[in-house]
Amino acid sequence: MTNPIRVAVTGAAGQIAYSILFRVASGQVFGKDRPVHLKMLEIPPAMKALQGVAMELADCAFPLLAGMDLTDKADEAFDGINWAFMVGAKPRGPGMERGDLIKENGPIFVGQGRALNRGANDVRAMVVGNPCNTNCLIAMKNSDVPKDRFSAMMRLDQNRAQSLLAEKSGQPVTAVTNMAIWGNHSNNQYPDFENAKIGGKPAAQVIKDETWLKETFLKTVQNRGADIIKARGASSAASAANAALDHVRDLIQPTPAGDWRSVAVCSNGQYGVDKDLIFGYPVRVKADGAYEVVEGLAMTPWAKAKFDAVHDELRKERDVVKDLLK
Ligand code: NAD
Ligand code: LMR
């Protein structure tokens, strides 16, 4: 039997993990023939609830679930892992912005960043816990793991944007391609309809309604998380877990020719972004498994102003946590 892939999930007794764990264990991410060993991290008060989650995982009798470890120590959770889903963090409540969580959640990623050094040689980490871009920056700066192994999740925003464009154009969601979400997973993100395509044509040639694109579309994607909190009384969970799975698959499979995926990765200065910010870019994974930021995309002055605003927001978040950056 193939060696199990060792997958850590933090916040393993929380809402999002409740969906991620079962789908990973069923083979929906790493393949139907790849056994999975789950390493689940929680804080001490949630360990009892985590035991319940583990009982349920066992009760599914997943053929691919090769083992489970439950722990409240990051060093144990990340020992020998190949992938980390870094979800464990407080969610925002009504009336808060994601950035308001930074003082409380940021410190979690200092110790967990260090603990990632205990991962396997190929360890990769993706951050969901908000504010995910800056939490990812904190983890990366506190770790010796190479920078290109860190990413934060923009895929929920990409999925929201694709779904809206599909609905408005009356086309299936699969017809919407080249959807880039620039910058931060925040209400200043820029969902780039100028470079998006519907059925292979520029989105704005299919949806001939500039006001809708610049106002309704933009604001709906930017504010979707808050709208879900207002409606549900809790932040998105199933759709966030679904996006986390999409995100990891995006990074382990070559991207279909001509398309790209939205991933927040460590900036190397592409598009003038400050080096090392974890910035939402259009990303392609090549046949050799390495990713690259898609360069040379055009932006109108209107779009560039949105891009600059979200870049500034990430600089400000970095300044707030400067004491946590090694
Ligand atoms: P939740 O409160 O249901 O679960 C979070 C879990 O994390 C809890 O069980 C908690 O005990 C645990 N936890 C807290 N500190 C921890 C630590 N230091 N180590 C390990 N576990 C720890 O919240 P949720 O709905 O699962 O959301 C988790 C995070 O994901 C929140 O910050 C939320 O805002 C964020 N989120 C991000 C996106 C995105 O697109 N990036 C989408 C949805 C939610
Ligand atoms: C989302 O986008 O749904 C999450 O980031 C949760 C939130 O706080 O909005």
Side-chain angles (χ1 to χ4, degrees):
M1 192 149 160
T2 333
N3 268 347
I5 185 160
R6 290 162 73 88
V7 180
V9 179
T10 75
Q15 290 200 88
I16 296 175
Y18 194 63
S19 203
I20 289 181
L21 287 164
F22 293 80
R23 294 184 62 185
V24 169
S26 73
Q28 291 179 45
V29 183
F30 299 104
K32 294 286 178 195
D33 52 4
R34 187 78 200 264
V36 180
H37 185 115
L38 288 174
K39 296 183 64 77
M40 298 180 267
L41 179 67
E42 257 301 344
I43 50 174
M47 288 306 288
K48 184 159 179 237
L50 182 57
Q51 281 164 16
V53 174
M55 287 182 221
E56 285 206 75
L57 279 161
D59 293 351
C60 291
F62 288 122
L64 291 173
L65 185 54
M68 290 188 269
D69 296 323
L70 287 62
T71 176
D72 57 8
K73 294 179 185 58
D75 279 355
E76 283 175 17
F78 292 170
D79 191 36
I81 57 164
N82 309 103
W83 264 99
F85 287 81
M86 301 179 80
V87 181
K90 195 174 167 184
R92 65 173 162 158
M96 290 172 76
E97 292 306 333
R98 298 180 187 90
D100 298 338
L101 295 164
I102 205 165
K103 288 271 183 204
E104 206 167 336
N105 286 344
I108 296 172
F109 293 83
V110 174
Q112 292 187 4
R114 282 188 205 123
L116 281 168
N117 295 343
R118 306 189 52 120
N121 287 339
D122 64 350
V123 63
R124 300 177 82 171
M126 62 86 66
V127 178
V128 174
N130 277 322
C132 60
N133 301 57
T134 299
N135 287 337
C136 185
L137 172 71
I138 297 168
M140 181 183 84
K141 288 286 187 179
N142 283 281
S143 176
D144 301 325
V145 171
K147 292 177 180 173
D148 63 358
R149 310 270 193 81
F150 288 86
S151 57
M153 190 164 96
M154 309 297 288
R155 183 61 199 248
L156 181 54
D157 310 294
Q158 180 194 316
N159 287 349
R160 288 168 172 165
Q162 283 181 296
S163 180
L164 264 175
L165 292 182
E167 188 190 350
K168 180 74 176 172
S169 64
Q171 301 225 24
V173 84
T174 47
V176 182
T177 60
N178 303 83
M179 189 68 248
I181 310 288
W182 297 93
N184 199 5
H185 175 63
S186 74
N187 62 358
N188 285 311
Q189 65 182 263
Y190 172 49
D192 182 357
F193 58 83
E194 292 181 352
N195 285 296
K197 292 186 180 157
I198 303 175
K201 294 187 192 147
Q205 280 179 23
V206 179
I207 298 172
K208 296 189 178 80
D209 184 343
E210 195 182 334
T211 309
W212 184 86
L213 288 167
K214 285 187 165 168
E215 291 173 17
T216 310
F217 169 73
L218 186 86
K219 290 262 170 291
T220 305
V221 180
Q222 289 177 331
N223 295 324
R224 189 64 155 195
D227 289 343
I228 289 170
I229 292 170
K230 262 188 234 148
R232 223 171 79 82
S235 61
S236 65
S239 58
N242 182 64
L245 269 50
D246 283 343
H247 174 110
V248 173
R249 278 192 295 254
D250 288 346
L251 287 173
I252 61 178
Q253 291 169 6
T255 311
D259 205 355
W260 56 68
R261 302 286 183 252
S262 295
V263 189
V265 294
C266 178
S267 164
N268 206 11
Q270 297 97 333
Y271 294 91
V273 172
D274 288 4
K275 218 164 173 299
D276 284 2
L277 283 181
I278 303 292
F279 199 85
Y281 280 119
V283 162
R284 290 186 46 75
V285 173
K286 298 178 283 181
D288 66 4
Y291 74 75
E292 62 187 3
V293 170
V294 177
E295 302 217 49
L297 295 184
M299 281 183 205
T300 59
W302 178 87
K304 184 65 173 57
K306 304 278 172 224
F307 181 99
D308 290 344
V310 77
H311 186 193
D312 278 347
E313 180 184 54
L314 277 170
R315 288 173 167 147
K316 286 190 185 115
E317 287 188 12
R318 179 188 58 199
D319 290 345
V320 173
V321 299
K322 61 178 185 307
D323 294 342
L324 302 181
L325 307 177
K326 205 167 62 173

